[in-house]
Amino acid sequence: MTKMMNDFEHTFSEQNNAPLWAQELLAEIKAVRRLLETQQSSKKPYDFYDFVNAFRKAMQADTINSHYPEVEVEGSRFGVTRAGLLYDKSTAKEIGRTEAFATYKILYEQHKRRPLF
């Protein structure tokens, strides 16, 4: 992809009479490339999805030792199923994806301030 982009940029940057659509496309591609490079360079070593995966693993129940971890978020107690899904301990029902990731976000912010595990 990079070679194709370099060829494209080289072709149209040399031509003063490049079509307007090509000039606009080139400008947008350069902006997207800068944005992607910024995001990749500022990526933290322990980002959100790494936290979610580590949290799920740390919170899974150990049935042999009767250890059932839980975490409290905004008055609700949560645990993690054997499949790695978040569930409400008071109702024993798995919570939806949207609510789960909202909960994970709250936990992640707490974890950044003070590690949970």
Side-chain angles (χ1 to χ4, degrees):
M1 177 85 167
T2 301
K3 183 180 180 335
M4 180 179 69
M5 284 303 306
N6 289 339
D7 292 345
F8 183 79
E9 288 176 4
H10 181 70
T11 301
F12 285 107
S13 65
E14 286 185 348
Q15 297 178 1
N16 292 335
N17 59 353
L20 183 59
W21 65 267
Q23 293 172 11
E24 290 173 353
L25 182 61
L26 183 58
E28 285 186 41
I29 290 172
K30 286 181 178 181
V32 169
R33 180 183 265 178
R34 280 191 302 274
L35 180 62
L36 286 173
E37 287 171 353
T38 302
Q39 287 177 342
Q40 289 173 349
S41 67
S42 67
K43 187 175 181 181
K44 298 175 183 137
Y46 198 73
D47 67 356
F48 178 72
Y49 293 106
D50 289 340
F51 166 78
V52 171
N53 289 331
F55 177 82
R56 287 174 174 170
K57 193 173 194 175
M59 291 293 293
Q60 283 191 332
D62 179 4
T63 55
I64 295 171
N65 296 317
S66 296
H67 180 65
Y68 302 94
E70 66 180 47
V71 65
E72 188 172 325
V73 176
E74 296 180 350
S76 297
R77 296 176 324 143
F78 295 100
V80 175
T81 67
R82 296 188 83 170
L85 302 174
L86 204 60
Y87 73 97
D88 186 336
K89 285 196 137 187
S90 64
T91 63
K93 291 185 180 180
E94 293 175 1
I95 62 172
R97 178 183 214 128
T98 304
E99 184 182 351
F101 275 92
T103 303
Y104 288 139
K105 186 175 181 180
I106 292 167
L107 291 168
Y108 179 62
E109 293 302 320
Q110 289 176 1
H111 182 74
K112 287 192 311 188
R113 288 190 301 272
R114 189 189 75 211
L116 299 174
F117 50 91

